[in-house]
Amino acid sequence: MAEDITAAVGAVVNADWNVRTGTVVPTTDTITLKNGAVEVDAVYLYADMANSSGLARDFAPKTAAKVIRAYLDATCRVIKFRGGQIRSFDGDRVMAIFMGAAKNSDAARCALNINYVVRKIVRPALEDRLTSLKTKGFELRHCVGVASGTALIVRGGVRNEDNDLVSIGRPPNVAAKLSDVRAWPYATYITSDVFARLREEVKYVDPGKPDKKLMWDGPRTEDAGGAPVKVYRSSFWWKP
């Protein structure tokens, strides 16, 4: 096994990347496992349920599983509705990629839609059917991080079915870190680059009116993996 791993690592380190520019979100069958890579200009969205550790600690596994599954199911439906491409799951967190001319607005609107379904649909349904949640004081909360820029997408793992796509770069890393922010009721965090490219209807309440109100609070600075990032945050929700 040690010899196999040594040879495999050597093959990875010594190979030159075959990089192409992507115009759509790649899938595993469009990138070769050996040395293929796709560079994309995209927006990354991470949606993360809060306090899953407390959920696992204080509730029966079947109850915790229903909460996590309900959150992920609703979140994924919104992402697909808004044109995002889901590319990975990590426990109670899902990552999606948005591309296209309106990718920044699409991702930000998706985040606000997720906030609506969590508050107005998922939480009430869970509390109505799983009474122990209210009894023990568990309130479903979440956070969505959104960041834009260039990333490199490769396949990681080994042959057959034991591999998946991996996104490398600042945007996916920042989006993931922003989804970890816990400052309720603020549940949506977008980088200043995303904010600068938002369409009017995703930036303001009643766009076009003289007294239009900004839906976003900022700019402010958040830590993202040890580096400061300028972001805007929002407590607004938007029915999809």
Side-chain angles (χ1 to χ4, degrees):
M1 176 57 67
E3 292 176 354
D4 288 345
I5 293 174
T6 299
V9 170
V12 171
V13 173
N14 293 325
D16 291 329
W17 288 109
N18 180 17
V19 181
R20 62 179 176 84
T21 300
T23 56
V24 297
V25 181
T27 57
T28 52
D29 59 345
T30 61
I31 303 178
T32 61
L33 182 60
K34 185 177 180 181
N35 63 345
V38 177
E39 186 178 69
V40 295
D41 179 13
V43 176
Y44 280 79
L45 179 150
Y46 274 82
D48 188 11
M49 196 188 85
N51 196 24
S52 57
S53 297
L55 183 68
R57 180 189 64 238
D58 298 333
F59 296 89
K62 290 182 179 179
T63 298
K66 285 186 176 182
V67 174
I68 293 174
R69 184 179 175 185
Y71 172 76
L72 290 176
D73 183 272
T75 298
C76 289
R77 289 177 186 272
V78 174
I79 290 170
K80 293 178 71 175
F81 176 71
R82 283 297 167 204
Q85 300 294 313
I86 298 167
R87 285 298 177 266
S88 72
F89 292 90
D90 180 13
D92 60 356
R93 182 163 67 177
V94 59
M95 181 269 276
I97 305 173
F98 290 78
M99 294 183 69
K103 56 184 178 290
N104 293 279
S105 294
D106 289 342
R109 192 194 307 253
C110 179
L112 299 177
N113 289 159
I114 291 172
N115 198 26
Y116 176 92
V117 300
V118 169
R119 289 171 175 266
K120 302 297 184 179
I121 299 175
V122 181
R123 184 197 297 166
L126 289 172
E127 291 178 351
D128 182 57
R129 292 165 177 79
L130 304 175
T131 56
S132 61
L133 296 177
K134 248 186 173 180
T135 302
K136 295 185 178 181
F138 180 86
E139 182 180 359
L140 179 62
R141 296 181 179 182
H142 76 291
C143 189
V144 176
V146 180
S148 67
T150 302
L152 194 68
I153 301 178
V154 302
R155 281 171 70 184
V158 294
R159 290 181 180 178
N160 300 321
E161 298 180 357
D162 300 316
N163 63 81
D164 205 350
L165 295 181
V166 180
S167 291
I168 301 149
R170 190 69 177 148
N173 181 262
V174 169
K177 297 300 183 183
L178 291 179
S179 73
D180 286 334
V181 178
R182 299 293 181 256
W184 196 255
Y186 294 99
T188 304
Y189 287 79
I190 64 175
T191 61
S192 57
D193 288 340
V194 173
F195 178 81
R197 294 171 174 82
L198 291 183
R199 293 179 172 177
E200 289 284 294
E201 66 269 20
V202 192
K203 188 179 289 188
Y204 297 100
V205 179
D206 297 325
K209 293 186 177 181
D211 57 346
K212 58 188 178 183
K213 179 182 178 182
L214 194 65
M215 286 191 285
W216 304 89
D217 171 52
R220 54 185 292 111
T221 301
E222 293 287 346
D223 177 80
V229 177
K230 285 188 177 181
V231 303
Y232 287 77
R233 65 182 186 177
S234 180
S235 60
F236 277 75
W237 57 82
W238 194 338
K239 185 177 180 179

